[in-house]
Amino acid sequence: MQNVAAEPRHITRVITFWAIATVIGLAVVFFLGPLFPFPTTASAREGDVNLTLMVFTLVSVPVFMFVVVFAAYSLINFRSDGRPTEDGPAVHGNSKLQAGWVVVSVVLVAFLLGWGLYYLYQVDLVPQGNVLVVDVTGEQWNWNYTYPQYGNATTNVLYLPVNRPVEFRIGSIDVQHSFWIPSMGVKEDAVPGVINHIYVTPNKMGTFQVRCMELCGPYHAYMDSNVKVISSDQFQSTVDSLPTEAPTLFPPPNGSAS
Amino acid sequence: MTARYTYRLNYFTGLIGAVVGYLIGYYGVLNFVGQDFQEQAFVIGWIGLLLGWLICIGALKYPFTWALAMKEPDHHEELRLAGAGGGIGRYFRFTTDHKVVGIQYLVLTMIMLGLGGIGAMLIRAQLMFPGANLFDTSAYNTIVTMHGMLMIATMISIFVGPFGNFIVPIMVGARDMAFPRLNGLSFALLTPAVVIFLFIPFLGGVETGWTIYAPLADQTGMGADAFAFSMILAGYSSMLGAVNVIATIVTMRAPGMRYTRLPIFVWGIMASAILSAAGTSSFAADLLLILLDRLYGTTFYLATSPGGTTNSGGGIAWLSQNLFWFFGHPEVYLIVLPGFAAVMEMVPVFVRKPLFGYKTAVLGMMGVTVVSFLVWAHHEFVSGWVPALRGYYMTTTEIISVPTGLVFLVLIGTLWRGRLWMKLPLAWSFAFIWAFMIGGLTGVYLSDVPADIQLHGSMFVTAHFHYTLFGGALMAFFGAIYYWFPKISGRYLNEKLGWIHFWGVQIGFNLTFLAMFYVGLQGMPRRVADYAPVFAGGNFVASIGAFIIGASVAVFFYNMVASWVAGEVAEANPWDSKTLEWQVPTPVPLENFEEIPVITSGPYNYGEPRQEPPPGGIGREEPAPVVG
Amino acid sequence: MGKYLGAFLTVVAGVLVVVALIVTLGQTTQMPPAVHAAAAGTANTSVGTLKHATVHLQTLPASPYTDPAWLNAHGGDTGPYPGPAPHEDWVMYWPTTDIVVPAHALVTVTIDNWDSKTPLFNSFYTIPQGVEGGSITVDGQQMTKIKNDDASHTFTIRGIPDKNQDYLYVSVPITGVADSAKTDAAGWPLQPVVTTFSFVTGGPGTYVWQCIDPCGTGFNNFGGPMSTRGYMSGVMTVQG
């Protein structure tokens, strides 16, 4: 016996639960999200990434709650004791609901896509001005950094002056590695035979990590190095004290940063 | 060879043939070509193993007799080959009966799942505490690679193998698959693939991860040759099976079984088969080029020739990534689409309601199938390969979330206002909804390029794909096996053990992979044997969760074996389902149906007045009035 | 009740299989025992007076069991390897690659190199880094850099930042034996090239060290011994 009159009651109840769950979820994400132990943010790019993660999570909360609340409500309210004695209503579909779902999904996807394309554009922007070029050589299982603008001074601890745009030119002597500074949101593979470029401006002083993010052999887990972001004066004196070795992989930089 | 002689051939004779073939190949190369050709000797040895196996199980007999225009087998002989009159022995030989092949696949995939699972336990034991305590880094990397590839190979075959073979032909109203001998051959290719794969630890391992990127693949131990060879075989097994499945579904449906009346599970298997047939060759090509680079000094993937940066090899490492992911991305949908379809198949039965939006479900799955070929370079966002195309791949990847989301609409619509019969298949379907929801949403994060730049290569990715592949496909498989076990074996799986299995996996799985999301966001790389102390808490929790999963799946394996042998006997249609496989008796007769039935409606017309079967039983009816 | 017992026993069986694999594949059973630095009094360093300890290693062109004359001249069959190592033709550090040194000490390492020259891919490693005084001694001569063509191996300790232990990064190039040197019947030189260097250890910790010279097999010569612990890479434990 189908109790059609009960349908609006179920719908109102589940929508109410959904609304409550969404509000709670949004509040949790919004207020507790920033407390998550992300790596220390040391560049605007990394700040953008954290913002993106926050926004995407906020957008997914209503979607997630929709599915979970409806499923849980069905689980609790429509459960039968043992084998059901009768069938449920013979509903094969609801074209308005199906069309509406597609429209909502497309709208959400369009928003996420727009957001993503905007930040992708930001990421790809070549910085202007006094750009520091750092040649990053990945090899098994070490990173070396060379400053071609400073007579090819080479080091295994990456020194960067604060607030100066950096262009990383990344290459590999042997297998694929991946150069990642978690605190700055920069990652690019070191692919043998090509030079990859990535840009960032560190905006915070301190010591951070470089990690290798592509399995490159037995000591991949140990292919870390330090990044020290220091003031410009300290940077100048540090670079002056470094040994100079001509790197094998990189052409000399031309006048501009690209 | 007389027909009678062939019937003596079985897997044990095949094993002897395999060993003899291997020894001939291996020592043949070493003795006649040279002692220095150790790696080539292994590969030729494996070719000998494969040929010896195939010949000595009788898989090549029919092509051989056909080519020599010898007498073809008559119907009686074909039935004998299919196992008519055979007892348990027919499970241990090359056979053409799709039901026997289905059970053979089930056993093999469960063995592979167990081996992969043991690998996972080793990985989590190592990562439980910081410091490379148990395994040195090379052994650990090999374990990671083997766990990954074994699990992927298991998941590729876990639906199409057991259920695509056993259930789907009956579901569409056929007596067998379209190409029964090819069916047996598919299985006969997968078994030596697993055996050769297990050579890896004895050959020095392979340290590349299952993605086997070059040039590390060129440099790593000889296990890479075993990996490549065995996975080429497994790929062909999958492709041949896919072709068979598609032909069966397209050409052998019962009269009246229009495409709109096909059970949704059949659509899912067909989508998976299309993806396998179209995409797997790319993986085979990738692996073949790796073998050539390793054995014969070609430089497909090497920009610089071995030994230094002076001479150009002319190749590029990106080729390895592209060939791999051109297959790799459709492959994950190949794994998960039958999972969607299995859940959509089970839910109507256990809520006694029609499937909500059947056409939406079909369009969703087919949409995913098509778009999945357009998205692969989202695995290469940080590789430096054509940065200008990243926007395009981000767009297609975000678009694919729309058809994927339609599946959730169908499931929620089906559950809504049904009469939920809370048996294990339905429980696993709920688990699927939870897990794939999380997996899918986290995929959206990874599709956004700037976020992916931060998250690529971290444990976040590992947690995402475990939520989708384990939470999506494997949990759907568990539900499906509780559903179809009574039809396949004639007995129920024990329910109490089943609930222990279910809750153990839920608790363990969510603990493990939520903790893994946490450490991934904190910045922990994946595929590392050791990590910084800041990740210690999350890893400890993840390991505990993993051990819980391991124990629960061990309970499941016991349940399968014990129930098969001594479980409660099941009747023919215990779940009162409307699909064709439940309308035939258990155990299913050799040719499935006494008479092929005429189909008059889809299998989801719950809630409508029941049609009494006409006198004389199913299959002999006048066409009934069209309902639904 | 029988089914619960059966399920429990299956779980136990699984645990046993996993443990058995850990024992057979794990490193606890694979590596020869570590070599401990020998105490050598105290020494003055740039950071004050510290304990002094010494370590003596050899780098060999192959397993010493392939050259019995060498083996007999250098202690015979008493090394920690009870017999030939699994790969006889691989270059190797001898007697082992697991080293234990004291914390807060000056450690002096002497490496006798019996292997020929293999130029480095990255000439940055011709410069010794992290060593006391900024120089090393090669056959008695003090050097702050060697020629890239003279390199044979390196001894490079990975600092592994980001762990709760002091950063310790040391890299020293090991000079190779000249091609014109006299050799014995098995092709090994009669005299090694001896490199000596010292570094100061910090607090306790575990560090990974490797050779970064392409002296192995396979692609880029970083395969084989270069990718296998116990030959050209190992672990250094700072204790106490």
Side-chain angles (χ1 to χ4, degrees):
Chain A
M1 214 169 14
Q2 325 297 340
N3 192 349
V4 181
E7 176 81 27
R9 173 174 64 97
H10 283 304
I11 295 275
T12 2
R13 279 169 74 185
V14 77
I15 300 246
T16 316
F17 285 132
W18 175 33
I20 296 173
T22 303
V23 167
I24 296 177
L26 289 173
V28 165
V29 171
F30 190 75
F31 292 109
L32 295 187
L35 301 177
F36 187 89
F38 288 112
T40 317
T41 307
S43 78
R45 270 179 77 144
E46 163 67 354
D48 290 342
V49 168
N50 288 349
L51 177 65
T52 301
L53 293 176
M54 167 73 87
V55 165
F56 276 41
T57 314
L58 289 172
V59 168
S60 0
V61 164
V63 177
F64 180 76
M65 289 305 176
F66 180 89
V67 172
V68 169
V69 165
F70 271 76
Y73 188 92
S74 305
L75 177 60
I76 296 169
N77 273 304
F78 303 128
R79 197 161 166 165
S80 146
D81 234 339
R83 184 189 278 259
T85 45
E86 56 170 9
D87 286 353
V91 175
H92 286 267
N94 181 330
S95 41
K96 281 213 265 281
L97 184 56
Q98 285 156 242
W101 180 283
V102 173
V103 168
V104 170
S105 320
V106 170
V107 166
L108 283 176
V109 163
F111 167 73
L112 296 174
L113 199 50
W115 180 282
L117 286 170
Y118 169 72
Y119 280 102
L120 176 57
Y121 170 74
Q122 298 281 326
V123 154
D124 281 344
L125 279 178
V126 176
Q128 306 298 317
N130 184 14
V131 179
L132 172 68
V133 177
V134 179
D135 291 342
V136 178
T137 306
E139 63 181 308
Q140 290 175 305
W141 290 277
N142 255 312
W143 295 106
N144 297 134
Y145 312 100
T146 306
Y147 301 97
Q149 298 157 320
Y150 292 85
N152 286 332
T154 308
T155 168
N156 54 58
V157 172
L158 177 61
Y159 296 102
L160 295 176
V162 69
N163 288 327
R164 182 172 165 191
V166 180
E167 173 189 353
F168 290 110
R169 304 193 300 179
I170 303 170
S172 163
I173 288 181
D174 37 41
V175 301
Q176 293 190 44
H177 302 273
S178 192
F179 174 76
W180 184 39
I181 308 179
S183 295
M184 299 186 195
V186 282
K187 182 186 294 151
E188 192 84 352
D189 282 0
V191 178
V194 296
I195 307 290
N196 284 330
H197 299 254
I198 199 162
Y199 314 98
V200 77
T201 306
N203 60 15
K204 188 172 184 169
M205 297 209 280
T207 304
F208 310 104
Q209 267 74 48
V210 169
R211 300 210 174 103
C212 176
M213 291 306 261
E214 187 62 59
L215 181 56
C216 52
Y219 298 114
H220 162 67
Y222 300 115
M223 195 163 157
D224 299 351
S225 88
N226 270 329
V227 178
K228 294 197 166 125
V229 182
I230 50 187
S231 70
S232 314
D233 304 326
Q234 280 179 304
F235 178 73
Q236 185 64 54
S237 56
T238 310
V239 164
D240 286 339
S241 68
L242 291 174
T244 59
E245 276 296 315
T248 50
L249 293 178
F250 300 91
N254 39 19
S256 70
S258 49
Chain B
M1 264 199 281
T2 66
R4 200 191 301 171
Y5 190 22
T6 318
Y7 299 136
R8 301 275 157 78
L9 294 177
N10 54 42
Y11 286 156
F12 300 105
T13 57
L15 188 61
I16 296 170
V19 170
V20 168
Y22 175 74
L23 294 173
I24 292 175
Y26 181 74
Y27 288 106
V29 170
L30 283 184
N31 286 324
F32 294 109
V33 183
Q35 287 288 330
D36 286 335
F37 292 89
Q38 178 83 315
E39 260 185 289
Q40 284 84 344
F42 277 114
V43 174
I44 303 295
W46 294 324
I47 293 176
L49 187 157
L50 176 68
L51 286 174
W53 165 260
L54 288 178
I55 291 171
C56 292
I57 59 174
L60 300 181
K61 182 203 174 230
Y62 179 65
F64 182 71
T65 56
W66 175 85
L68 292 183
M70 289 161 68
K71 178 168 163 293
E72 296 198 4
D74 60 27
H75 187 65
H76 184 67
E77 283 175 21
E78 296 278 19
L79 281 180
R80 285 248 8 226
L81 192 58
I88 196 152
R90 60 200 165 108
Y91 292 95
F92 292 95
R93 62 175 172 80
F94 177 80
T95 178
T96 54
D97 180 5
H98 70 102
K99 298 184 283 301
V100 174
V101 174
I103 292 177
Q104 290 173 333
Y105 261 107
L106 182 62
V107 171
L108 181 64
T109 46
M110 290 301 99
I111 292 174
M112 290 162 74
L113 183 67
L115 291 172
I118 289 175
M121 297 299 109
L122 295 175
I123 292 173
R124 287 315 319 175
Q126 164 87 343
L127 291 185
M128 197 159 164
F129 302 107
N133 305 313
L134 296 174
F135 298 100
D136 73 342
T137 51
S138 304
Y140 176 81
N141 288 342
T142 299
I143 294 171
V144 164
T145 307
M146 290 182 72
H147 162 76
M149 193 69 239
L150 265 178
M151 285 308 204
I152 296 282
T154 308
M155 296 313 293
I156 289 177
S157 317
I158 207 170
F159 276 103
V160 175
F163 305 121
N165 275 304
F166 194 115
I167 301 291
V168 164
I170 314 177
M171 246 185 184
V172 301
R175 295 197 186 280
D176 204 319
M177 303 276 289
F179 303 112
R181 262 180 283 265
L182 193 66
N183 205 11
L185 182 67
S186 298
F187 181 76
L189 286 177
L190 190 58
T191 333
V194 175
V195 168
I196 295 173
F197 190 82
L198 295 174
F199 269 69
I200 289 175
F202 303 102
L203 291 179
V206 50
E207 285 195 55
T208 56
W210 83 285
T211 49
I212 203 164
Y213 282 172
L216 184 60
D218 290 6
Q219 182 192 83
T220 190
M222 281 200 285
D225 301 314
F227 183 105
F229 191 90
S230 64
M231 287 303 115
I232 291 175
L233 277 184
Y236 278 102
S237 162
S238 171
M239 279 191 274
L240 292 177
V243 162
N244 211 348
V245 156
I246 295 174
T248 310
I249 296 171
V250 170
T251 63
M252 293 181 68
R253 283 165 288 130
M257 176 75 82
R258 305 182 201 146
Y259 282 110
T260 46
R261 290 179 180 163
L262 272 179
I264 194 75
F265 183 67
V266 177
W267 280 105
I269 293 282
M270 182 143 75
S272 173
I274 292 172
L275 288 169
S276 169
T280 314
S281 332
S282 185
F283 187 41
D286 178 36
L287 294 173
L288 184 61
L289 296 189
I290 286 174
L291 277 176
L292 289 176
D293 268 12
R294 288 180 61 88
L295 298 176
Y296 296 108
T298 57
T299 53
F300 289 106
Y301 299 127
L302 304 179
T304 59
S305 64
T309 56
T310 48
N311 303 322
S312 173
I316 184 67
W318 283 326
L319 181 62
S320 160
Q321 293 197 30
N322 278 313
L323 282 177
F324 183 85
W325 287 115
F326 185 78
F327 152 76
H329 196 82
E331 185 265 339
V332 304
Y333 286 105
L334 186 167
I335 291 178
V336 97
L337 282 174
F340 291 170
V343 171
M344 290 194 282
E345 184 65 45
M346 293 186 287
V347 168
V349 176
F350 290 91
V351 305
R352 317 306 298 169
K353 248 188 92 204
L355 188 68
F356 182 91
Y358 175 91
K359 292 211 178 86
T360 309
V362 172
L363 283 174
M365 289 200 291
M366 286 303 153
V368 167
T369 306
V370 169
V371 180
S372 71
F373 280 100
L374 306 176
V375 302
W376 81 90
H378 65 228
H379 300 272
E380 300 175 46
F381 279 152
V382 298
S383 65
W385 183 69
V386 196
L389 280 180
R390 290 185 297 184
Y392 160 78
Y393 282 106
M394 176 161 77
T395 307
T396 51
T397 309
E398 303 230 9
I399 285 176
I400 207 174
S401 65
V402 173
T404 319
L406 290 177
V407 170
F408 283 99
L409 170 67
V410 167
L411 287 173
I412 297 296
T414 313
L415 285 171
W416 183 253
R417 304 208 58 223
R419 304 282 184 269
L420 271 65
W421 185 22
M422 206 56 197
K423 304 295 271 179
L424 280 161
L426 188 60
W428 284 107
S429 303
F430 274 100
F432 165 89
I433 290 176
W434 166 264
F436 197 80
M437 197 68 211
I438 296 180
L441 286 174
T442 50
V444 174
Y445 290 50
L446 293 170
S447 71
D448 177 82
V449 177
D452 184 70
I453 289 178
Q454 183 71 345
L455 298 171
H456 170 90
S458 72
M459 282 303 210
F460 187 92
V461 175
T462 312
H464 157 74
F465 67 69
H466 279 89
Y467 257 96
T468 47
L469 296 179
F470 186 152
L474 190 57
M475 290 202 192
F477 168 79
F478 286 141
I481 195 74
Y482 283 97
Y483 179 56
W484 272 307
F485 195 82
K487 179 56 63 178
I488 294 178
S489 73
R491 298 174 186 268
Y492 291 107
L493 278 170
N494 182 284
E495 268 205 65
K496 293 208 172 60
L497 291 180
W499 283 106
I500 294 176
H501 170 216
F502 175 78
W503 283 114
V505 168
Q506 293 318 303
I507 294 170
F509 175 80
N510 284 295
L511 260 184
T512 307
F513 296 106
L514 286 174
M516 213 177 271
F517 276 127
Y518 185 84
V519 292
L521 286 170
Q522 278 187 302
M524 179 175 169
R526 58 185 283 211
R527 297 178 173 154
V528 286
D530 192 3
Y531 50 82
V534 67
F535 306 125
N539 274 290
F540 181 77
V541 171
S543 291
I544 299 293
F547 298 143
I548 297 175
I549 298 176
S552 315
V553 176
V555 168
F556 167 71
F557 285 145
Y558 171 77
N559 195 357
M560 275 191 75
V561 173
S563 302
W564 205 305
V565 169
E568 180 193 339
V569 175
E571 64 256 33
N573 192 355
W575 317 120
D576 207 11
S577 166
K578 294 183 192 286
T579 43
L580 275 180
E581 79 274 19
W582 298 103
Q583 316 310 325
V584 297
T586 306
V588 182
L590 182 64
E591 292 191 288
N592 301 344
F593 303 96
E594 253 185 73
E595 276 199 22
I596 301 286
V598 175
I599 312 301
T600 54
S601 74
Y604 304 116
N605 50 349
Y606 296 96
E608 290 152 24
R610 263 175 194 271
Q611 291 289 311
E612 283 300 318
I618 294 171
R620 295 177 201 267
E621 59 189 6
E622 303 294 313
V626 174
V627 182
Chain C
M1 205 32 68
K3 56 179 184 285
Y4 293 123
L5 180 63
F8 177 73
L9 288 177
T10 312
V11 173
V12 169
V15 170
L16 290 176
V17 167
V18 170
V19 168
L21 284 171
I22 291 177
V23 168
T24 48
L25 297 179
Q27 60 192 16
T28 48
T29 50
Q30 298 287 340
M31 292 293 130
V35 76
H36 289 248
T42 61
N44 284 326
T45 72
S46 53
V47 291
T49 309
L50 296 172
K51 287 192 295 245
H52 191 194
T54 58
V55 177
H56 187 198
L57 296 172
Q58 330 250 5
T59 46
L60 310 179
S63 163
Y65 291 90
T66 60
D67 186 356
W70 187 96
L71 191 58
N72 282 325
H74 292 91
D77 201 353
T78 56
Y81 276 117
H87 296 271
E88 282 197 337
D89 49 340
W90 281 8
V91 295
M92 59 193 304
Y93 270 83
W94 179 263
T96 179
T97 58
D98 283 0
I99 307 166
V100 178
V101 297
H104 300 297
L106 180 76
V107 176
T108 301
V109 180
T110 309
I111 299 183
D112 297 350
N113 183 25
W114 301 83
D115 199 7
S116 54
K117 300 179 182 178
T118 315
L120 290 162
F121 288 151
N122 187 345
S123 52
F124 180 58
Y125 294 98
T126 57
I127 303 170
Q129 296 153 39
V131 291
E132 188 70 4
S135 66
I136 59 177
T137 312
V138 180
D139 271 348
Q141 260 194 313
Q142 231 191 16
M143 291 184 144
T144 53
K145 188 177 157 146
I146 69 168
K147 290 217 208 56
N148 197 19
D149 288 337
D150 287 344
S152 176
H153 298 287
T154 73
F155 184 88
T156 306
I157 304 176
R158 306 291 344 282
I160 317 183
D162 180 43
K163 288 204 156 224
N164 289 344
Q165 59 189 27
D166 286 331
Y167 185 72
L168 177 66
Y169 187 96
V170 176
S171 175
V172 169
I174 310 294
T175 308
V177 174
D179 291 334
S180 56
K182 294 208 195 70
T183 59
D184 68 5
W188 289 36
L190 299 175
Q191 293 293 329
V193 175
V194 180
T195 306
T196 312
F197 59 94
S198 303
F199 58 91
V200 173
T201 56
T206 316
Y207 303 86
V208 167
W209 67 266
Q210 63 170 104
C211 164
I212 212 162
D213 183 284
C215 54
T217 58
F219 171 67
N220 252 27
N221 295 325
F222 261 72
M226 285 290 286
S227 285
T228 311
R229 182 172 151 197
Y231 292 85
M232 280 284 132
S233 56
V235 172
M236 181 157 87
T237 312
V238 176
Q239 250 182 18

